Amino acid sequence: MTTYFKASSGGLSTAVGYPLDTVKVRIQTERHYNGIWHCVQETYRTEKVWGFYKGMSASVLTVSVISSVSFGMYKNFLCGICKLRYRAADAKPSKLDVFLAGGAAGAVRVLFMAPSEVAKVRMQTQRNPHPSIAPPQPVSKPKYRGSLHCLKVIAKQEGFGGLYKGCSALLCRDCFSSAIYFLTYSALCDWLTPAGKNKPDFLVVLLSGGFAGVLAWGFATPMDVIKSRMQTDESDQHKYKGLVHCVRESVRKEGAKVLFKGLGLNCIRAFPVNMVVFVTYEAVLRCTDYYLNKE
């Protein structure tokens, strides 16, 4: 049941925020957009509503599993650290323990999510004019017919390594941001919970989860930009030789501000999404504790 609810919260949050994620990815990887609203207008004008949901089905399914794995691994790493340091898995962890467990969970998460991230980004940046819009010239068939077909084509044309393109940037992004994510949530819950109370109340969980998501994405955005650019660099392009080269070339051509493209969208999306995620997480933990103690 714990896994089911964690997975459900991850899938629901992804579906709700997916249109914003598509706009964010396009802004990060394409230079011709003047801003968020221009990207929204152009996407809707040429591809209608479907343009905002490309690659969502596979993303929802994988994020559902990854969300469960991430929170589960965080809990297991935290218990392991506490057992190692304090000889008791249920000992109260220090902030350093939380930070390390969060970072480790982020690293494990990358192994599972890298291929789906590549497929998601490729699908989101692929142009497919809506049938209702008659183009002046015949349009070639899209390279990717769906997320699974996208993975198949990448594996065939770029090899197994193509499925993990941008993995170095993804690892940098998720290790640190995941550590910040869980640390912020833990610290805010401790700070906002009155002395004597064992568990944070509903409002504290909502606020702590929302702010944890915003802060984590604030730190994650620079590497998120680099990740997206590396993942859209197909085998016939070879624009970037690696993470450092991608950072250097992006900053050289567009200035340091390029590293913060999509920051506003990330933060807007992060607050409500992570409120839902942590409320579900806490509800599952408390239900589990209740039934275990009852037995």
Side-chain angles (χ1 to χ4, degrees):
M1 179 181 283
T2 304
T3 301
Y4 172 77
F5 279 109
K6 286 176 184 174
S8 297
S9 68
L12 179 62
S13 64
T14 300
V16 171
Y18 201 83
L20 291 178
D21 186 71
T22 298
V23 174
K24 177 208 73 172
V25 168
R26 291 191 170 191
I27 287 173
Q28 288 177 338
T29 57
E30 300 172 33
R31 298 178 63 179
H32 66 271
Y33 294 117
N34 298 327
I36 295 171
W37 184 239
H38 182 231
C39 181
V40 171
Q41 285 179 314
E42 284 297 298
T43 301
Y44 182 76
R45 184 179 65 81
T46 56
E47 300 167 78
K48 302 302 180 185
V49 174
W50 168 243
F52 297 99
Y53 289 93
K54 287 179 178 179
M56 189 187 76
S57 56
S59 184
V60 168
L61 293 174
T62 53
V63 167
S64 299
V65 176
I66 290 163
S67 179
S68 178
V69 169
S70 181
F71 277 85
M73 291 305 296
Y74 165 71
K75 195 70 179 174
N76 288 334
F77 277 125
L78 193 60
C79 288
I81 290 170
C82 288
K83 194 172 182 180
L84 187 66
R85 293 190 66 187
Y86 314 115
R87 301 289 186 267
D90 58 350
K92 183 173 176 58
S94 69
K95 294 297 180 280
L96 177 61
D97 299 334
V98 172
F99 184 86
L100 293 174
V108 173
R109 172 190 171 101
V110 169
L111 296 175
F112 291 92
M113 76 182 296
S116 66
E117 274 286 304
V118 174
K120 177 184 77 72
V121 170
R122 295 278 180 96
M123 288 294 295
Q124 286 174 323
T125 53
Q126 179 174 253
R127 290 282 182 268
N128 298 115
H130 194 268
S132 65
I133 300 170
Q137 298 175 352
V139 179
S140 60
K141 288 184 179 181
K143 184 176 182 178
Y144 308 119
R145 297 194 297 267
S147 296
L148 292 178
H149 181 252
C150 180
L151 289 171
K152 183 179 177 181
V153 171
I154 292 170
K156 183 179 179 180
Q157 296 183 352
E158 303 174 43
F160 182 76
L163 299 175
Y164 282 85
K165 187 164 280 188
C167 190
S168 55
L170 185 60
L171 191 64
C172 292
R173 186 195 78 172
D174 279 18
C175 280
F176 189 67
S177 65
S178 181
I180 293 293
Y181 183 59
F182 286 107
L183 175 63
T184 303
Y185 176 74
S186 175
L188 286 175
C189 281
D190 288 347
W191 183 49
L192 295 172
T193 301
K197 284 192 72 174
N198 195 27
K199 299 281 187 182
D201 60 28
F202 181 73
L203 181 59
V204 169
V205 172
L206 280 174
L207 292 174
S208 300
F211 281 115
V214 170
L215 191 59
W217 271 110
F219 282 101
T221 296
M223 280 297 110
D224 189 49
V225 174
I226 301 305
K227 172 202 74 74
S228 296
R229 293 190 168 206
M230 291 176 71
Q231 289 174 337
T232 55
D233 188 18
E234 300 188 24
S235 57
D236 58 343
Q237 296 173 336
H238 293 299
K239 288 192 294 184
Y240 308 117
K241 298 173 184 176
L243 189 152
V244 175
H245 183 249
C246 183
V247 172
R248 189 168 62 240
E249 284 298 295
S250 297
V251 172
R252 183 179 66 83
K253 292 178 180 178
E254 300 172 62
K257 65 181 181 181
V258 70
L259 299 176
F260 297 94
K261 279 189 171 185
L263 175 62
L265 281 172
N266 277 336
C267 293
I268 290 169
R269 188 178 52 133
F271 196 88
V273 163
N274 288 287
M275 283 169 59
V276 173
V277 167
F278 272 108
V279 164
T280 307
Y281 174 66
E282 287 290 345
V284 169
L285 287 182
R286 293 179 194 191
C287 285
T288 304
D289 289 344
Y290 174 78
Y291 284 111
L292 288 176
N293 292 333
K294 194 176 181 181
E295 291 176 1

